[in-house]
Amino acid sequence: MPRFNAIFFKLALNSLKSRQGSVILTLLAIIVSVYVLIGVEQIRMQTKQNFNSTIAGTDLIVGARTGDINLLLYAVFHMGAATQNISWKTYQELTTLSSVEWAVPISLGDSHQGYRVTATTPDYFTHYHYAELQPLQFAAGQPFEDVYDVVLGSEVAHKLGYQLGDKLTLSHGLGATSFSVHKDKPFRISGLLQATGTPVDKSLYISLSAMEAIHIGWNNGANSNAAHSVIDTQSLTPKSVTAVMLGLKQKTAIFRFQRVVNEYRDEALLAILPGVTLAKLWQITSVMEQSLRLIAVLILISSLLGLVAMLLASIRERQHEIAVMRVMGASPWFIFSLIEIEVVIVTFVGYVFGLLGVAMSFELAKNIGLEHFSIHLSSNIFSIDQLIYLALILIAAMIAGLIPAVMAYKQALGVRLD
Amino acid sequence: MKTSILIQNLKFSYSPQSPLILDIPSWHVEQGERLFLQGPSGCGKSSLLNLISGILPLTQGYLGVLGAQLDTLSGRQRDHFRAQRIGYVFQRFNLIPYLSALDNIRLACIFTDQQQDSKQVEDKACSLLISLGIEQSHWHKASHQLSVGQQQRVAIARAMIHQPQLLIVDEPTSSLDHQSRDAFMQLLLRQVESTPLTLLFVSHDHTLSSYFSRSQSMNEINDA
């Protein structure tokens, strides 16, 4: 083996420097491909992480019997609509069960300029957690107290430009341009939540009684315009809720409790474990995930082939160098190693710049990601995983580099001095 | 007196079908000798030098160089042998073009097994370059920026840094003009003057034979 000392690296570096033009172009191709590969991989991992941290600390979500993904979609992501509700009686029975530590009901159905309204109890703000058990935090104000108080998620407040104390009206139904507006009952903004990167940012929160209050006189989805200047708060107990979030006293009881709910006699119910169903939902995206990955890998391969082509073309013009090294006593293996070390240097430099490029882009796109896509991008992408990628990329490069290296080896072996 | 190169019944061709290029019944060079070997191009000179330096493997005959029997050594062993004991100067393209004069000399040292510290190599390289008349301002320049004459002189330093016992010089002056040719010859001979090394100088130009104590023509030794 040649001794890999300073002069050996100097030889490789200067050799690359002497072919600057083609080396820089090849390097750019590798930087771009590493950028795409790591960028795609990071977005994939971070969105997955984001997605999986949408809800935490809630042991079970209970709704009327439907598909588990469907229940998760409408109860947590506020997408789609529930076909059935749970009766208020059932909800109350659930809360009295001994293993239940807390229960937060939610009621859906109204919206404000396309943003969904969730009717719930003030407990929602203490029990809803996301990421690693982070609680919701108020940027301003407090939870709703009065019937006509509303709390806004950060995106709603930013996009629509609302301040604390502003008044707004809700629409019946879910369309952005609903024709039936609860005009007669304006809400006052009592609190603004901080950004979380979860569907909470896109929601408005009111009390269950408010939900009842604005629907008084609404039968079959239309305002009958009945006169009701005075609302008796006593009569504002809802008849049903859309879903219930549950926390149990003992985590070990989750599966037993889930079965109890699923076999509930009086009503057809479904209880899901949010984490399990989130993972199941994520599986749906796996085809896209894999194809993105595949594209990134193909781009990397093509850039490595570019590197190989560049080196192959250089071997012919290097015959004098090779002869000189041979006459100094360099073995063909030395020449082989020289080509491989050049491959490693170019790939390594390309990797470093590609990685830095991704970190910088994420840093710049951080705010855009959170505001527009509710994706919490982190520029802190340096981890052990990156070393594994580096190793894999270097191995791929060295395998590709075998082509010019073997050619150089043969050239070295067949050198004639004249 | 010991022999430096000893050849017996050497026959060489590039493939079994092609005609013999070398057929040398017997030839030797004494140790410490300065021999001028003259011959036109195509007379088998380069093939002989390739064999002596161990670049080409020998197929038939006996070839002893500096006490080693080259026809029995593997390719790897011959590379090793060449790195340690032979110095070689080509007609041109003697240096790695993108390395400086000093780095070319340093590179030659990594193939030898001698455990020299870099300071020692540095000192030796510097004194060689000084005695070969290379100005210090040229030492760190990429060697392709040097003139051909300067490159050839650096090549001598590169070939002699590891104190070889045999120095092979192959048409070193053919790309030099008349004046630099004489200067080059004088520098080369002065370099080897006080050393025990054997010098094998090969050229088609017989006017150079005046610099040497003994000269031979290729067709005197080669029957092919």
Side-chain angles (χ1 to χ4, degrees), chain A residues 36-341:
Chain A
V36 171
L37 184 74
I38 295 180
V40 163
E41 200 57 15
Q42 278 297 320
I43 289 176
R44 189 185 68 82
M45 271 165 42
Q46 294 196 13
T47 42
K48 184 175 182 175
Q49 206 177 16
N50 254 288
F51 183 83
N52 284 334
S53 58
T54 304
I55 183 167
T58 299
D59 296 320
L60 288 169
I61 296 172
V62 178
R65 189 162 297 164
T66 173
D68 51 354
I69 288 178
N70 194 31
L71 175 57
L72 184 81
L73 279 179
Y74 69 69
V76 177
F77 290 94
H78 307 161
M79 290 167 125
T83 44
Q84 285 276 313
N85 276 3
I86 316 175
S87 70
W88 184 252
K89 187 176 136 274
T90 305
Y91 159 67
Q92 283 194 313
E93 274 180 32
L94 283 174
T95 58
T96 55
L97 291 176
S98 62
S99 48
V100 172
E101 194 186 348
W102 56 266
V104 173
I106 55 174
S107 215
L108 306 162
D110 279 3
S111 64
H112 175 71
Q113 302 202 16
Y115 291 104
R116 302 284 183 106
V117 174
T118 304
T120 182
T121 60
D123 284 346
Y124 186 91
F125 301 108
T126 48
H127 289 304
Y128 188 98
H129 289 75
Y130 66 101
E132 276 110 52
L133 281 186
Q134 277 174 268
L136 296 180
Q137 274 176 333
F138 280 85
Q142 56 194 32
F144 40 76
E145 277 178 356
D146 190 66
V147 177
Y148 293 114
D149 276 353
V150 61
V151 171
L152 265 52
S154 71
E155 189 186 317
V156 182
H158 278 123
K159 284 273 172 68
L160 304 180
Y162 284 126
Q163 305 286 333
L164 202 63
D166 285 357
K167 302 228 162 168
L168 55 87
T169 54
L170 305 181
S171 314
H172 189 69
L174 305 171
T177 52
S178 179
F179 289 110
S180 37
V181 180
H182 304 288
K183 263 193 202 138
D184 49 337
K185 285 140 190 149
F187 280 77
R188 188 186 63 89
I189 298 170
S190 74
L192 300 170
L193 292 170
Q194 277 180 4
T196 61
T198 71
V200 170
D201 297 353
K202 295 179 183 167
S203 299
L204 294 87
Y205 294 93
I206 58 172
S207 63
L208 286 169
S209 0
M211 184 70 120
E212 284 306 304
I214 57 178
H215 288 100
I216 284 174
W218 285 61
N219 293 315
N220 307 318
N223 192 350
S224 63
N225 259 336
H228 45 259
S229 49
V230 182
I231 291 167
D232 178 6
T233 40
Q234 299 302 310
S235 70
L236 292 180
T237 305
K239 285 164 201 67
S240 67
V241 293
T242 311
V244 184
M245 290 159 55
L246 289 174
L248 302 184
K249 283 174 188 147
Q250 285 181 316
K251 306 298 164 197
T252 48
I254 291 178
F255 290 103
R256 191 154 23 92
F257 192 82
Q258 186 185 24
R259 207 171 53 242
V260 169
V261 173
N262 287 342
E263 290 166 1
Y264 196 72
R265 267 172 292 108
D266 299 345
E267 208 173 341
L269 296 179
L270 173 71
I272 57 167
L273 281 77
V276 172
T277 314
L278 275 170
K280 206 168 156 185
L281 184 55
W282 185 257
Q283 285 297 308
I284 297 172
T285 65
S286 69
V287 174
M288 203 187 69
E289 225 184 303
Q290 294 306 327
S291 33
L292 271 179
R293 252 180 165 174
L294 183 69
I295 291 167
V297 168
L298 288 177
I299 292 175
L300 179 72
I301 290 175
S302 79
S303 74
L304 289 181
L305 287 179
L307 173 64
V308 167
M310 186 271 287
L311 284 170
L312 262 183
S314 80
I315 302 292
R316 221 156 297 134
E317 61 198 50
R318 293 167 91 164
Q319 49 179 327
H320 290 306
E321 285 167 59
I322 293 178
V324 171
M325 286 185 239
R326 287 286 282 148
V327 89
M328 289 177 185
S331 66
W333 282 112
F334 178 87
I335 314 289
F336 177 94
S337 317
L338 179 64
I339 303 295
E340 282 285 16
I341 209 78

Side-chain angles (χ1 to χ4, degrees), chain B residues 84-98:
Chain B
Q84 287 184 284
R85 307 182 62 185
I86 298 182
Y88 203 114
V89 178
F90 295 108
Q91 188 171 347
R92 53 181 310 182
F93 304 122
N94 270 295
L95 305 171
I96 309 285
Y98 44 80

